[in-house]
């Protein structure tokens, strides 16, 4: 059953850059921005990550951690993070457990061909582990400012 605003986040474990496994409950006591992107090292996904990195200090001041997630493997995520200098970890969700929990796998059309892919989406979880905001079908430009304003409102 996908999460909706107001739901408590289950204690799911994820693989992140640095070849580590963490539980989402490790972020309790801080807000968490969890953003999903279609594919590492593509232009829109790169820009989104750079925008979150540029605002990382402001998010930290709002007691908010950042995690990016896609279905890419850990090696692709490591390369993406290192090459772009992202200041936060990336989740490798190859089994799509996290994607399914947040219901971000959608039917997409590209060049007349349909396929299932990650819909660019962002979720803001409060310090108690409750989903407070969601943004779906995200347009990258200006998005991080909107998320930061919501994070500041929680603090």
């Amino acid at each position: 059953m996908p999460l909706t605003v107001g739901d408590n986040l289950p204690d799911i474990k994820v693989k992140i850059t640095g070849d580590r496994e963490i539980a989402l409950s490790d972020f309790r006591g801080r807000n968490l921005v969890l953003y999903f992107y279609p594919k590492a090292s593509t232009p829109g996904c790169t820009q989104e990550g750079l925008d979150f990195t540029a605002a990382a200090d402001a998010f930290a001041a709002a007691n908010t951690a950042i995690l990016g997630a896609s279905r890419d493997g850990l090696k692709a995520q490591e390369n993406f993070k290192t090459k772009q200098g992202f200041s936060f970890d990336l989740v490798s969700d190859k089994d799509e457990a996290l994607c399914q929990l947040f219901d971000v796998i959608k039917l997409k059309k590209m060049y007349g061909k349909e396929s299932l892919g990650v819909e660019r989406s962002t979720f803001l979880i409060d310090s108690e582990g409750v989903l407070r905001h969601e943004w779906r079908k995200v347009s990258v430009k200006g998005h991080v400012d909107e998320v930061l304003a919501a994070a500041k409102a929680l603090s």
Side-chain angles (χ1 to χ4, degrees):
M1 196 75 189
L3 289 177
T4 57
V5 172
D7 286 351
N8 285 309
L9 189 65
D11 195 20
I12 187 171
K13 291 188 176 181
V14 295
K15 292 184 192 287
I16 63 168
T17 45
D19 199 21
R20 295 176 292 147
E21 184 175 272
I22 60 164
L24 293 182
S25 62
D26 293 345
F27 293 95
R28 294 275 161 82
R30 294 184 286 168
N31 303 320
L32 173 64
V33 169
L34 177 59
Y35 79 95
F36 290 85
Y37 55 92
K39 188 156 181 57
S41 300
T42 57
C45 301
T46 298
Q47 188 59 58
E48 187 174 24
L50 291 172
D51 290 351
F52 273 113
T53 294
D57 288 344
F59 277 102
N63 193 35
T64 303
I66 303 166
L67 275 181
S70 76
R71 300 184 301 175
D72 293 293
L74 204 49
K75 185 174 181 178
Q77 297 290 52
E78 291 285 0
N79 291 340
F80 188 35
K81 178 183 176 186
T82 300
K83 183 178 180 183
Q84 300 304 329
F86 295 155
S87 59
F88 49 86
D89 285 302
L90 301 177
V91 176
S92 172
D93 191 34
K94 282 188 77 82
D95 66 2
E96 300 180 0
L98 198 59
C99 287
Q100 289 176 16
L101 179 64
F102 285 89
D103 192 29
V104 298
I105 303 290
K106 303 292 182 186
L107 190 61
K108 299 170 103 180
K109 284 185 181 180
M110 186 180 270
Y111 307 116
K113 188 176 176 186
E114 290 185 340
S115 64
L116 288 175
V118 173
E119 177 182 77
R120 191 179 309 278
S121 306
T122 303
F123 301 88
L124 180 59
I125 297 119
D126 72 13
S127 61
E128 300 297 315
V130 177
L131 178 59
R132 292 296 176 195
H133 295 278
E134 64 179 18
W135 295 265
R136 296 190 179 269
K137 297 182 182 177
V138 166
S139 176
V140 173
K141 189 173 176 145
H143 176 61
V144 168
D145 294 334
E146 208 178 319
V147 178
L148 180 58
K152 286 179 177 178
L154 288 180
S155 296

